[in-house]
Amino acid sequence: MGEELNPFKIAQEQLDEAAEIMGLDKQAHALLREPKRTLIVNIPVKMRDGHTETFTGFRVQYNDARGPAKGGIRFHPAETLDTVKALSAWMTWKCSLADIPFGGGKGGVICDPKKFNEVELENLSRGYMRAIADFIGPKTDVPAPDVYTTPQIMGWMLDEYTRKVGHNEFDTITGKPVEVWGSEGRMDSTALGGMFVMREAAKALKLNLKKSKIAVQGFGNAGKFAYTLSKEMFGAKVVAISDSEGGVYDPDGLDLKKLDEAKEKTGSVKNYKSKNAKQITNEKLLELDVDILIPAAIENQVRKDNADDIKAKLLLELANGPVTPDATQILFEKGVMDLPDFLVNSGGVIGSYFEWAQNISSYYWDTKRFHDELDRTITKSFKDTIAMQKGYADKGKKISERMAAYVIAVDRVAKAMKARGWY
Ligand code: GLU
């Protein structure tokens, strides 16, 4: 590949490019190239046979000039400090672009949650929260779910935090079960936000969604809801979907019941059966002749070596970091509208903001209000991004959608740092 795929280097490279485009102050640029605070913890966890295993975890607060750090916690075997740093930088840009009152943060534990039983998972979740509890809080840093973490895990973590402070602070963590004042709409808000962006992008590209073919990479929280909502909201045809083991392609469209069955019975959607269905690899899924491609799994999927083979007209980055900087450039030159992760998947953290605000005020909304406010907030982010891109084009400078979004996000954080006298 020959490409540098360290996610933190990628995040820094993207910032450098944006800084150059917008003429960012050098002092602000230097401040924004590194996280503000980084915590590394080692957590003892009692396993089912009674022995104690040690797990390493991280929490990074990248920037809090605009509000408390905000971002999810990942439980992943390939977690690294640099991945968490990159994701915390992207959270900073995500919250800024959405114009919600948070900075950016992220957490992670190196572990394979698929190997745990329920008790081990609870022990690790509580252990991680005990280890970071002095570092976080509703006014400093507010965690949430991410890859392989769930509302139940947030419930345990909330409870552990409560033991430390001695009273309920529901605004400590978001993405909670609804029984402990999580939000009804938070569960699918990442995908729903992506759908509102897809609707606006289709308008801009004059794409008829009813007649569009879509491929989705990933069958987790983001991917699965992207599949169901594309069909429900727009009547679009999802012709391919995958999970970490592989994917399935059916030109006639896929059926959710059968997908769920294949996943449940065989462990993977790749074993989906129908008259015209055939198995495809995750790589081939990206190259299908579809109108819209939705990477909704993990980082570094569209790279220098395969970007030229992308046939979709619209690429919606529902995962974090699925397109490398070299690939962004290639897609841009090919004329693909590639909408960046920190715009497309910001519905998750926007939903978290609504949950946090409701927890603070102890006044709860209905789901309709949640959806309407999500639509309004994320549609504005999309329109701001396209307007910024057009503004540069009018001045004779063509920039990608990613860079347009960066310029908006970085400018807001830089202005907040300036207002606070950080430089
Ligand atoms: N993990 C989600 C993200 O990457 C949500 C973060 C949050 O709600 O704080 O955006």
Side-chain angles (χ1 to χ4, degrees), residues 36-98:
K36 181 176 175 179
R37 299 210 293 169
T38 298
L39 179 71
I40 304 176
V41 295
N42 288 296
I43 312 152
V45 177
K46 273 255 155 51
M47 306 305 278
R48 65 191 91 168
D49 63 359
H51 88 282
T52 294
E53 206 156 307
T54 304
F55 292 91
T56 301
F58 314 101
R59 184 76 195 171
V60 177
Q61 294 162 3
Y62 199 82
N63 187 287
D64 61 358
R66 285 172 45 89
K70 182 87 194 83
I73 298 162
R74 314 200 320 164
F75 283 177
H76 200 277
E79 199 61 279
T80 66
L81 180 58
D82 272 356
T83 314
V84 179
K85 279 160 73 173
L87 288 159
S88 70
W90 290 327
M91 283 309 304
T92 308
W93 314 136
K94 197 181 294 190
C95 294
S96 176
L97 181 68

Side-chain angles (χ1 to χ4, degrees), residues 70-72 91 94 106 142 144-146 174 186 320 345 348-349 352:
K70 182 87 194 83
M91 283 309 304
K94 197 181 294 190
K106 202 85 181 191
V142 184
D146 202 281
T174 59
R186 174 66 183 84
N320 283 315
N345 70 29
V349 74
S352 278

Side-chain angles (χ1 to χ4, degrees), residues 223-241:
K224 191 170 168 182
F225 283 119
Y227 163 91
T228 47
L229 293 172
S230 307
K231 288 178 65 161
E232 267 171 41
M233 292 168 69
F234 309 114
K237 194 188 269 185
V238 180
V239 293
I241 200 155

Side-chain angles (χ1 to χ4, degrees), residues 32 57 87 108 113 128 152 160 172 184 193 249 316 341 362 389 391 400:
L32 291 174
L87 288 159
Y128 176 72
Q152 174 59 78
E160 196 61 36
T172 300
E184 208 61 82
Y249 169 64
L316 280 178
D341 43 9
S362 287
Q389 188 183 36
S400 64

Side-chain angles (χ1 to χ4, degrees), residues 55-190:
F55 292 91
T56 301
F58 314 101
R59 184 76 195 171
V60 177
Q61 294 162 3
Y62 199 82
N63 187 287
D64 61 358
R66 285 172 45 89
K70 182 87 194 83
I73 298 162
R74 314 200 320 164
F75 283 177
H76 200 277
E79 199 61 279
T80 66
L81 180 58
D82 272 356
T83 314
V84 179
K85 279 160 73 173
L87 288 159
S88 70
W90 290 327
M91 283 309 304
T92 308
W93 314 136
K94 197 181 294 190
C95 294
S96 176
L97 181 68
D99 215 1
I100 56 178
F102 288 125
K106 202 85 181 191
V109 178
I110 309 169
C111 67
D112 187 352
K114 288 181 183 164
K115 294 198 177 129
F116 296 149
N117 68 15
E118 174 101 349
V119 175
E120 289 164 339
L121 191 62
E122 179 172 348
N123 288 347
L124 175 67
S125 305
R126 288 186 183 273
Y128 176 72
M129 177 47 91
R130 269 197 305 280
I132 67 163
D134 287 335
F135 194 69
I136 64 141
K139 292 198 172 80
T140 46
D141 181 359
V142 184
D146 202 281
V147 174
Y148 295 143
T149 51
T150 58
Q152 174 59 78
I153 291 176
M154 300 305 111
W156 291 324
M157 288 187 180
L158 168 77
D159 190 65
E160 196 61 36
Y161 188 81
T162 299
R163 289 182 191 192
K164 181 201 153 215
V165 293
H167 57 264
N168 280 322
E169 281 187 14
F170 292 110
D171 50 350
T172 300
I173 197 158
T174 59
K176 301 179 291 291
V178 286
E179 295 78 7
V180 282
W181 306 108
S183 268
E184 208 61 82
R186 174 66 183 84
M187 193 62 196
D188 63 353
S189 69
T190 305

